[in-house]
């Protein structure tokens, strides 16, 4: 950090996106400030579905065990129409783990808990959230960004990240258009309540006279999340009891409303993610309907993509690395908007398929093939190629069981040297591992062949895994000079 700046990175907004970004910077020793205009931490369920790819991100950050302890897996659901059972099933039928996918099912944790866990991790890295600090305006030049706060003081930073949600002040201050639509005719009340009269082993939904109500146990708590397809239901115990009993025909009692909010069918995408030294991430860059539960997951992965790049650029890496953030993440957000919009249409049509969380929601198939950082040098690329998610595999290292994901976890790049032919590539910020079918001291022993199978490798190959777990570069053993030329500008000091 230079003396003329107050900090290297100012992050506006300490929701899941801002918190993950702060963890990413903190564990790389980058100076930052994470400010939030709220005077107390968010207390609602909102994004409770953590999809498989996001669990992998959380494992990389070292918080997945805490999140698993704080939540639960998916539960079955019953749907009634005018009192008649019309659908019963599992919105996301659990599937077994495989060597390449250790967390194949969505995991449910209320968003306020996820944020608590992230704040604890951040504290472990020496960081914290500054509450009651609102960014009001900003200006920038080619050296720094100056943010003006609500109390009139200023913070000068080398970069600013707007992780300040759908109504982003940062996005508006930059004049970046938020393209899309808000459908004011589709609104719903959502409330976390304490109620009695229902078990916690399934979710229930009732439609009647063109209206929809649902109740879902909120994992890891004694609360239930109630939704009402109209926003004029009183969010009080009496108002919600009256609504639920009318829709369900049951005799439920609502004792306490813990949190409530009205959501609108919003589908918008910022026209760009970067303006000079300012970047947008999470809901500030894209908002989608909650159908499919993609919003928080996408924001967390934005931050995971941006964090290592920002840290590297601050350490002297090529600035162009920052442009790859929008190039990679914008198409992902476009896909998420399409998907959640399609599910919202199904919900409007009262089609039970709207509740089904199929594999297209798990975000494991997202990739950056063809993007600015994906360089595939092999004449005959394997099934997993540059730009793809690098799969996991159980292997042995000096006789001890270890997973490739454990080797990837942390702020470094990882070279998987299938065949062990490139000994001697040593660069700071790079962990290189020979991956062999036979045991050799210091090498990864692919004892079951899962690494070779998972990556589709049947001949010597070098695969370079980025800090965020995607394959950046893939080549043959003779391509070492090319690998260095790829990696060096991205490392920083
Ligand atoms: C009903 C509902 C259900 C949902 N279900 C899911 C789901 O199952 N799965 C999923 O992935 N997503 C879901 N989402 C979406 C998810 O909640 C959001 O995508 C997620 O909260 C976005 O995180 P974020 O950190 O980008 O923004 P936010 O969580 O909105 O955080 C932004 C933060 O910025 C702060 N802020 C705002 N302006 C300023 C300023 N000027 N200065 C400083 N701080 C500021 C705010 O106080 C806030 O803390 C759901 C949303 C809703 C409404």
């Amino acid at each position: 950090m230079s003396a003329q700046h107050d900090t290297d990175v100012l992050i506006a907004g300490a929701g899941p996106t801002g918190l993950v970004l702060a963890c990413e910077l903190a564990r790389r020793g980058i100076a930052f400030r994470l400010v939030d205009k709220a005077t107390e931490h968010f207390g609602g369920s909102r994004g409770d579905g953590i999809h498989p790819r996001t669990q992998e991100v959380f494992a990389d950050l070292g918080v997945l065990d805490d999140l698993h302890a704080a939540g639960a897996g998916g539960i079955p659901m019953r749907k009634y129409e005018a009192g008649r059972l019309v659908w019963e099933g599992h919105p996301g039928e659990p599937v077994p783990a495989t060597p390449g996918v250790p967390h194949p099912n969505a995991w449910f944790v209320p968003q306020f808990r996820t944020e608590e866990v992230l704040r604890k991790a951040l504290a472990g890295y020496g960081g914290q959230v500054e509450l009651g600090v609102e960014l009001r305006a900003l200006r920038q030049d080619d050296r720094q960004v100056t943010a003006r706060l609500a109390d009139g003081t200023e913070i000068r930073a080398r970069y600013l990240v707007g992780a300040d949600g759908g109504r982003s002040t940062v996005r508006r201050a930059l004049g970046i258009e938020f393209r899309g639509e808000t459908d004011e005719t589709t609104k719903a009340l959502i409330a976390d309540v304490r109620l009695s009269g229902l078990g916690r082993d399934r979710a229930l939904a009732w439609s009647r006279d063109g209206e929809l109500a649902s109740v879902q146990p909120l994992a890891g708590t004694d609360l239930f999340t109630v939704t009402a397809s109209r926003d004029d239901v009183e969010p009080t115990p009496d108002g919600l009891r009256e609504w639920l009993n009318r829709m369900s025909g049951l005799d439920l009692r609502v004792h306490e409303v813990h949190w409530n909010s009205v959501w609108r069918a919003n589908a918008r995408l910022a026209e760009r993610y970067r303006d000079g030294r300012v970047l947008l991430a999470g809901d500030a860059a894209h908002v989608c309907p909650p159908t499919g539960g993609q919003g928080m997951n996408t924001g967390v992965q934005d931050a995971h993509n941006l964090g290592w790049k920002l840290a590297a650029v601050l350490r002297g890496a090529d600035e162009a690395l920052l442009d790859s953030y929008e190039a990679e993440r914008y198409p992902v957000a476009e896909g998420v908007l399409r998907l959640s919009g399609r599910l919202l249409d199904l919900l409007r049509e009262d089609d039970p398929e709207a509740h089904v969380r199929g594999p297209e929601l798990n975000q494991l198939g997202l990739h950056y093939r063809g993007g600015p950082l994906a360089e595939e040098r092999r004449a005959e690329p394997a099934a997993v190629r540059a730009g793809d998610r690098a799969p996991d595999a159980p292997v042995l290292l000096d006789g001890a069981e270890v997973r490739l994901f454990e080797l990837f976890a942390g702020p470094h790049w990882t070279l998987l040297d299938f065949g062990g032919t490139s000994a001697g590539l040593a660069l700071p910020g790079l962990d290189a591992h020979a991956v062999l079918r036979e045991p050799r001291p210091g090498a990864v022993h692919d004892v079951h062949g899962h690494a070779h199978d998972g990556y589709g490798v049947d001949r010597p190959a070098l695969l370079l895994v980025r800090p965020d777990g995607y394959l950046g570069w893939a080549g043959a053993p003779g391509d070492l000079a090319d690998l260095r030329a790829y990696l060096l500008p991205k490392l920083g000091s």
Side-chain angles (χ1 to χ4, degrees):
M1 184 181 32
S2 143
Q4 72 205 14
H5 307 113
D6 302 312
T7 190
D8 280 335
V9 183
L10 172 62
I11 307 170
T17 306
L19 283 165
V20 168
L21 182 65
C23 288
E24 284 290 80
L25 296 176
R27 68 176 176 162
R28 289 174 169 85
I30 299 291
F32 68 90
R33 286 182 65 181
L34 173 60
V35 303
D36 200 294
K37 72 174 182 184
T39 49
E40 54 187 52
H41 295 304
F42 173 70
S45 56
R46 273 175 82 184
D48 65 339
I50 303 178
H51 288 300
R53 179 60 195 150
T54 309
Q55 290 175 54
E56 295 178 358
V57 170
F58 285 146
D60 174 41
L61 285 171
V63 298
L64 189 60
D65 288 347
D66 281 356
L67 288 168
H68 279 168
I75 52 172
M77 180 174 191
R78 273 191 192 148
K79 168 95 201 292
Y80 295 86
E81 226 172 83
R84 193 171 53 89
L85 181 65
V86 290
W87 187 80
E88 181 162 19
H90 209 298
E93 197 61 59
V95 294
T98 63
V101 180
H103 313 294
N105 302 301
W107 191 254
F108 294 86
V109 182
Q111 188 169 319
F112 67 84
R113 277 279 147 72
T114 299
E115 294 184 13
E116 265 169 34
V117 166
L118 287 168
R119 282 196 298 273
K120 189 175 132 208
L122 182 61
Y125 291 126
Q128 57 163 4
V129 177
E130 298 175 48
L131 286 176
V133 181
E134 179 178 355
L135 181 148
R136 281 275 174 87
L138 63 98
R139 61 181 189 277
Q140 60 173 318
D141 57 32
D142 55 1
R143 289 173 306 118
Q144 65 182 16
V145 190
T146 305
R148 188 162 52 76
L149 307 179
D151 67 2
T153 60
E154 293 188 334
I155 302 177
R156 290 166 305 164
R158 292 172 70 187
Y159 289 95
L160 165 67
V161 179
D164 50 347
R167 296 184 180 167
S168 172
T169 304
V170 173
R171 189 188 64 238
R172 288 169 198 226
L174 295 171
I176 293 180
E177 206 186 316
F178 208 27
R179 291 178 180 152
E181 56 184 37
T182 302
D183 172 3
E184 291 291 345
T185 62
T186 306
K187 295 179 189 170
L189 173 73
I190 171 159
D192 298 342
V193 307
R194 200 157 274 127
L195 64 71
S196 51
L198 282 182
R200 297 189 67 85
D201 55 347
R202 69 183 70 247
L204 297 165
W206 302 275
S207 62
R208 191 184 285 277
D209 304 328
E211 316 223 57
L212 186 68
S214 69
V215 174
Q216 173 152 358
L218 188 53
T221 73
D222 60 354
L223 302 171
F224 290 81
T225 298
V226 175
T227 59
S229 62
R230 43 193 300 165
D231 62 348
D232 59 353
V233 173
E234 272 292 308
T236 58
D238 283 347
L240 288 164
R241 178 183 47 81
E242 193 275 323
W243 161 256
L244 284 176
N245 290 345
R246 176 162 72 77
M247 292 296 288
S248 68
L250 299 173
D251 181 20
L252 307 177
R253 271 145 296 149
V254 177
H255 307 291
E256 188 191 334
V257 179
H258 184 79
W259 169 82
N260 73 89
S261 171
V262 171
W263 69 261
R264 285 165 186 74
N266 239 338
R268 291 181 183 275
L269 183 55
E271 61 175 316
R272 59 204 149 88
Y273 282 15
R274 181 179 180 194
D275 184 323
R277 296 186 160 271
V278 187
L279 298 115
L280 299 175
D283 274 20
H286 43 73
V287 288
C288 61
T291 35
Q294 299 283 291
M296 180 186 75
N297 287 274
T298 307
V300 164
Q301 290 175 54
D302 284 349
H304 199 232
N305 182 292
L306 179 58
W308 68 268
K309 295 175 180 176
L310 204 44
V313 168
L314 283 160
R315 292 252 157 85
D318 187 346
E319 255 255 321
L321 203 49
L322 286 184
D323 289 325
S324 72
Y325 164 64
E326 173 179 322
E328 292 185 337
R329 296 302 300 169
Y330 195 95
V332 169
E334 284 180 311
V336 162
L337 281 168
R338 273 193 302 276
L339 180 59
S340 48
R342 187 163 52 74
L343 291 173
L344 181 63
D345 288 343
L346 291 175
L347 193 67
R348 284 185 179 122
E349 291 158 15
D350 206 9
D351 186 329
E353 285 295 312
H355 304 289
V356 176
R357 292 177 178 238
E360 75 278 15
L361 296 179
N362 67 25
Q363 304 198 339
L364 291 171
L366 297 181
H367 64 83
Y368 306 131
R369 272 189 200 186
L373 299 188
E375 296 196 13
E376 177 61 60
R377 296 284 185 250
R378 291 170 294 177
E380 293 173 44
V384 177
R385 57 189 71 175
D388 288 351
R389 162 187 168 275
D392 195 12
V395 290
L396 297 179
L397 187 58
D398 291 330
E401 286 179 17
V402 65
R403 304 200 65 102
L404 289 186
F405 275 4
E406 292 173 65
L407 303 182
F408 301 162
H412 55 275
W413 294 70
T414 309
L415 180 66
L416 297 179
D417 173 5
F418 283 89
T421 51
S422 70
L425 183 75
L427 289 171
L430 174 72
D431 282 5
H433 298 278
V435 183
L436 307 173
R437 289 191 186 272
E438 319 73 39
R440 189 172 89 189
V444 167
H445 178 197
D446 189 14
V447 58
H448 312 292
H450 291 314
H452 284 79
D453 293 348
Y455 285 81
V457 170
D458 58 5
R459 66 193 70 178
L462 301 176
L463 303 181
L464 182 62
V465 181
R466 305 172 2 170
D468 58 355
Y470 288 84
L471 226 55
W473 178 99
D479 296 332
L480 266 186
D482 192 81
L483 190 160
R484 289 180 81 93
Y486 171 88
L487 184 55
L488 276 173
K490 299 176 181 67
L491 282 180
S493 59

